[in-house]
Amino acid sequence: MKRHLLLLSCFLLVASPLFAQTIGVYFDEEGTSLGGFSGILPDVATGYILVKDANQLLGGAAFAIDVDPQIIVNGVVSWAPAQVVGDYVNGVELGLYAPIPVFEDQVGLLGTMTMFSVGNVSNAPITVTNHPNYETPVLANTQALQSEATGLTSYLRFHSIGNVCVYFDEAGTLTDWAYSQGQVLYAYVMVRNAEMLLQGAALKLDSLDPVFTLIDTIYPDGSLFGSLYTGMELGLYAPIPVFGSDAAVLATIVLFVPENESPVNAQFQIVPHPNYDTIVLSDTSAYQFPAVSCGVSTVDVPIPNEDMTWGAMKTLYK
């Protein structure tokens, strides 16, 4: 190694690492996830450049980061307080102003970077590699001792964030409905803005107002586990294109309000399946993507002027 790492010392010694120390770009500050997901612009992803398993008071580092060209890095990396020479693209050398303890489960944060994409990107690699003046990524401790580190590869995906909502028309335009006594109410659980061939979903209807009588729930052809009301996991036999203005109907709810019932602003909202942190959509490659609810849909049932019998309702449904 012909060039010294920037530390407040006169010289550096070279040693082989005693530990499997690594430098990687993680997508959480704890350093547990090398796989990241974000929506396309205006959403951005944050990458944390972390040192792990170094077992030392970290004084400096030298490395570069190779970012897939599909990913756009927003501005420059925000480095930890340090003397900085170079940049992450061509190679950067850091001499930290204050040492960072990296012992046992501790991680050392060298910098953060924000990234975005204007289109869908699948598993784009981000690899920590060597600075041009060194054969490998390099770490240095507070005694000016250099050691080799392993550069890790992480993967980042950008994808449109689909939304799931309850509509009261087949066109998917009405989220508020004034129900007239004696009508059969149809509610449609629809996916929009997913930009994928939709192959499956996991979600749940938050609740069904007890004033409604549930006549039927109609699902598209597929393997169904659970139900819309307890949490459903649906694998479609035939994928449904959801691009641009396209929408996919995942469930059709058929309801009736018995006589003498008059709810006001009964609410319908899609929420995550109990086994998942978010609403989940999957494509034909079995990739799972988080989705969001587009909000609360409401039904107002005015007080009826005349009663309708259950027999008459069944006639209407036929």
Side-chain angles (χ1 to χ4, degrees):
M1 299 180 184
K2 297 180 180 179
R3 184 176 176 180
H4 71 277
L5 189 67
L6 289 170
L7 293 172
L8 301 179
S9 60
C10 297
F11 62 91
L12 296 175
L13 300 176
V14 180
S16 298
L18 299 177
F19 303 90
Q21 52 195 18
T22 60
I23 309 175
V25 178
Y26 292 84
F27 301 103
D28 64 322
E29 294 180 83
E30 295 74 30
T32 63
S33 178
L34 287 168
F37 175 87
S38 179
I40 60 176
L41 200 69
D43 290 344
V44 297
T46 301
Y48 301 91
I49 306 167
L50 299 177
V51 174
K52 295 179 67 175
D53 303 315
N55 202 46
Q56 62 178 283
L57 274 174
L58 186 64
F63 57 92
I65 304 176
D66 183 13
V67 180
D68 188 289
Q70 297 179 92
I71 297 174
I72 302 169
V73 178
N74 186 22
V76 297
V77 173
S78 177
W79 298 111
Q83 187 174 358
V84 180
V85 173
D87 56 61
Y88 77 91
V89 176
N90 301 298
V92 64
E93 294 178 289
L94 303 176
L96 297 169
Y97 294 148
I100 301 175
V102 186
F103 297 98
E104 296 181 348
D105 295 330
Q106 293 176 311
V107 297
L109 177 63
L110 296 180
T112 59
M113 55 199 304
T114 56
M115 296 159 281
F116 66 89
S117 173
V118 295
N120 293 341
V121 173
S122 179
N123 286 339
I126 302 170
T127 302
V128 174
T129 185
N130 61 292
H131 184 290
N133 293 334
Y134 303 88
E135 295 180 358
T136 69
V138 171
L139 300 177
N141 65 14
T142 52
Q143 280 75 48
L145 182 66
Q146 278 187 355
S147 56
E148 296 178 352
T150 298
L152 303 179
T153 297
S154 50
Y155 295 91
L156 183 56
R157 287 187 290 158
F158 291 93
H159 200 283
S160 300
I161 303 295
N163 57 59
V164 188
C165 194
V166 177
Y167 295 95
F168 302 110
D169 64 323
E170 292 183 271
T173 62
L174 301 176
T175 56
D176 297 290
W177 188 259
Y179 177 88
S180 296
Q181 197 87 43
Q183 288 183 334
V184 174
L185 174 65
Y186 290 86
Y188 304 90
V189 179
M190 290 188 180
V191 177
R192 291 186 174 279
N193 303 319
E195 298 301 313
M196 68 169 71
L197 277 173
L198 182 68
Q199 190 76 68
L203 50 86
K204 178 180 180 290
L205 183 68
D206 187 29
S207 63
L208 184 61
D209 194 308
V211 74
F212 291 108
T213 296
L214 177 62
I215 300 173
D216 198 4
T217 306
I218 304 164
Y219 302 97
D221 290 340
S223 297
L224 177 67
F225 299 92
S227 76
L228 178 63
Y229 313 101
T230 60
M232 69 180 234
E233 294 176 282
L234 176 65
L236 297 168
Y237 292 152
I240 302 174
V242 186
F243 298 98
S245 61
D246 295 338
V249 178
L250 294 182
T252 300
I253 311 166
V254 186
L255 300 167
F256 182 76
V257 179
E259 59 188 55
N260 300 321
E261 297 287 354
S262 54
V264 176
N265 291 330
Q267 297 186 343
F268 295 75
Q269 184 173 18
I270 300 302
V271 297
H273 184 288
N275 293 339
Y276 298 86
D277 293 330
T278 68
I279 300 167
V280 173
L281 306 176
S282 63
D283 64 11
T284 53
S285 299
Y287 284 134
Q288 292 185 348
F289 299 93
V292 296
S293 168
C294 55
V296 175
S297 304
T298 59
V299 173
D300 180 36
V301 183
I303 297 174
N305 293 322
E306 58 183 56
D307 295 338
M308 169 166 278
T309 65
W310 174 248
M313 185 283 301
K314 289 192 290 184
T315 301
L316 281 173
Y317 180 57
K318 290 179 181 178

